[in-house]
Amino acid sequence: MPATSYDYAIIRVIPSLERGECLNVGVILFCRTRRFLGALIQVDQVRLRTIAPTLDIDALNEQLEHLSRVCHGDAESGPIGRLSQSERFHWLVAPRSTIIQTSPVHSGLCTSDPATTLHILMRKLVL
């Protein structure tokens, strides 16, 4: 399988914008040529409680689940979920001033399928 380019961003939780501490909780990967848009999310609640003991983790998980639904184009994700993969990716990685933010978009080349690359990035950058 020939190498193909992809773009990805790390999903981060920044409980206190003033302090700037963050916890990587997921990865979004978009590979236009393979028509792939995927996200993996996993919150390490112990680490998160260390930097944000009063954070409402249930509300956070709801918001992260919504991001995942938008990424996958689920019907429950509303009008954003009905956009094209490219438009959804750009919406997902757009700058925000909330506690859930994404890193700048990075590019790479994958020689395997994009889903495998997404799992590799998740292990390397989040887990």
Side-chain angles (χ1 to χ4, degrees), residues 15-16 23 25-26 28-29 35 41-43 45-46 54 58 63 65 70 79-81 100 104 108 112 116 123-124:
S16 171
L23 180 65
V25 297
I28 302 167
L29 186 140
R35 296 183 187 98
I41 298 170
Q42 183 174 327
V43 178
Q45 293 186 15
V46 173
T54 61
D58 290 335
Q63 292 301 311
E65 180 60 31
V70 166
I80 301 296
I100 299 173
S112 61
T116 299
R123 281 194 306 273
K124 182 193 287 189

Side-chain angles (χ1 to χ4, degrees), residues 17-83:
L17 296 173
E18 297 81 21
R19 291 180 58 148
E21 297 170 323
C22 70
L23 180 65
N24 294 348
V25 297
V27 178
I28 302 167
L29 186 140
F30 176 53
C31 182
R32 182 184 314 270
T33 57
R34 302 256 176 95
R35 296 183 187 98
F36 178 86
L37 176 61
L40 293 174
I41 298 170
Q42 183 174 327
V43 178
D44 183 335
Q45 293 186 15
V46 173
R47 289 179 69 198
L48 189 55
R49 284 274 178 234
T50 301
I51 61 173
T54 61
L55 183 66
D56 183 346
I57 298 222
D58 290 335
L60 173 73
N61 285 333
E62 281 182 35
Q63 292 301 311
L64 290 169
E65 180 60 31
H66 179 70
L67 288 180
S68 182
R69 284 193 305 269
V70 166
C71 179
H72 296 102
D74 292 346
E76 314 83 60
S77 62
I80 301 296
R82 290 188 290 275
L83 297 173

Side-chain angles (χ1 to χ4, degrees), residues 97-114:
S97 61
T98 63
I99 67 168
I100 299 173
Q101 299 184 16
T102 56
S103 71
V105 174
H106 304 283
S107 297
L109 289 175
C110 61
T111 55
S112 61
D113 68 290

Side-chain angles (χ1 to χ4, degrees), residues 54 91 112 118 121:
T54 61
W91 183 86
S112 61
L118 177 60
L121 289 171

